[in-house]
Amino acid sequence: MPISLDCRAGLGELPQGLLESLRRADEILVLTGAGVSAESGIATFREALTGLWARFDPARLATADAFIEDPVRVWSWYEWRRAQALAAEPNPAHRALAAWGRRQQRLHLVTQNVDDLHERAGSHAVIHLHGSLHAPRCFECARPLASPPVPAAGDRLVAPPRCPACGGLARPGVVWFGESLPEEALASAWALAERCDLCLVVGTSGLVQPAASLPAVARQQGATLVRIDPQPAADFNGDWQLLGAAGVILPALLERL
Ligand code: BV8
Ligand code: ZN
């Protein structure tokens, strides 16, 4: 039965069992979602629709069909999100994970996020399960393309650039719903879930498959499962649920280690 700790007012006294698991961990898998970038001002996936985008459903916009139907609308949405990511700074959660990775060699960071804030905070070898805002490619021939020099900010509608080789439209380098995840990224993440002894899940609603299955794979083979999120997850069957912001909890946790 998971033990939930209310850490909204800070970390307070931590149970010895939790501290022991964190200190003793030999191989750590950290899975992050949009919540780890929330304190950098990047809207989480559920909130990523304000202004012009408010009337669209992200699950509908984040699809190849939506792009085919209206490439300008979909490309513009991602350019707006890319502008947000470029204007954002890594927050204490990103920095704590990068510092932890420097102290604990076998800490592996797997993210569902498409921003590059983990890398900008100093984390290395970050596994991106859902691609990146910073790696556009040709929708037709898949050739990697350069991002436009200045992303369209706000609600401006801009047309995607054309591929110099085949004239196809540029698409964002993210994994859309209905698209397969990058094979190597998923295989590496799965292998880590199968051998880690601690799995830390930070800032994800855990709704999207197959990424959302990784913590269960870790749990199945005996890893300690710790979740960090201001919202409790009713179906969480891990060991510890720390309720609070990642930018508050992670630096405080690292201090205790
Ligand atoms: C695939 C990139 C098939 C694009 C994204 C099995 C069952 C049911 C459905 C499926 C299934 N298998 C596949 C599916 C379909 C689908 C799916 O899972 N649908 C869901 C909605 C049911 N999956 C797919 O389509 C995947 N592809 O399986 O292909 C296939 C198989 C063979 C051959 C061909 C095809 C592809 C999924 C990838 C979609 N792309 N992102 C983009 O960004 O636009 S998903 C996107 O949403 C994110 O990347 C993320 O993964 C996901 C959820 O977002 P979160 O990161 O969790 O963010 P969210 O807002 O939801 O939650 C934020 C959390 O943070 C909250 O809990 C909040 O409380 C917390 N928080 C807030 N502030 C803080 C905080 N936490 C800490 N600190 C804070 N300060
Ligand atoms: Zn092309």
Side-chain angles (χ1 to χ4, degrees):
M1 188 57 189
I3 299 174
S4 290
L5 303 174
D6 185 343
C7 307
R8 278 170 286 209
L11 216 46
E13 252 331 278
L14 281 183
Q16 207 42 40
L18 170 59
L19 278 174
E20 274 314 299
S21 305
L22 295 173
R23 285 183 183 134
R24 235 193 0 246
D26 174 47
E27 185 126 43
I28 304 174
L29 166 61
V30 183
L31 173 69
T32 64
V36 82
S37 296
E39 291 155 89
S40 298
I42 294 186
T44 64
F45 200 75
R46 300 277 163 283
E47 301 152 2
L49 291 155
T50 56
L52 173 70
W53 312 112
R55 64 180 185 283
F56 297 109
D57 165 9
R60 274 195 30 72
L61 267 188
T63 62
D65 289 347
F67 182 77
I68 292 165
E69 188 191 319
D70 190 339
V72 171
R73 176 189 298 160
V74 175
W75 177 261
S76 302
W77 181 46
Y78 281 95
E79 279 296 275
W80 170 67
R81 290 172 59 193
R82 186 166 72 91
Q84 272 198 321
L86 289 169
E89 287 299 322
N91 68 59
H94 298 108
R95 295 194 195 290
L97 288 171
W100 199 346
R102 285 191 289 276
R103 284 168 42 180
Q104 164 89 8
Q105 290 314 313
R106 285 143 62 104
L107 181 142
H108 309 277
L109 193 43
V110 175
T111 188
Q112 301 170 90
N113 298 340
V114 292
D115 64 54
D116 58 350
L117 293 179
H118 281 307
E119 289 87 347
R120 285 167 55 196
S123 289
H124 298 292
V126 179
I127 296 176
H128 279 265
L129 293 177
H130 295 157
S132 163
L133 287 169
H134 305 288
R137 64 174 187 271
C138 175
F139 190 70
E140 301 306 325
C141 72
R143 187 181 304 269
L145 298 173
S147 292
V150 179
D155 289 348
R156 270 193 42 235
L157 289 177
V158 282
R162 293 248 171 217
C163 168
C166 80
L169 290 174
R171 59 157 287 172
V174 301
V175 179
W176 278 328
F177 287 100
E179 293 186 325
S180 303
L181 276 58
E183 245 168 72
E184 203 185 314
L186 184 57
S188 312
W190 212 269
L192 286 166
E194 283 173 340
R195 68 167 199 266
C196 67
D197 49 2
L198 172 66
C199 178
L200 205 53
V201 184
V202 186
T204 177
S205 56
L207 296 175
V208 172
Q209 294 297 349
S213 301
L214 289 168
V217 169
R219 178 96 180 117
Q220 227 118 38
Q221 52 82 0
T224 300
L225 191 50
V226 180
R227 180 176 186 274
I228 295 176
D229 195 308
Q231 302 300 326
D235 58 349
F236 176 66
N237 71 351
D239 302 280
W240 308 91
Q241 202 165 195
L242 307 183
L243 301 178
V248 171
I249 292 176
L250 281 169
L253 264 191
L254 197 65
E255 254 170 50
R256 309 293 173 83
L257 297 192

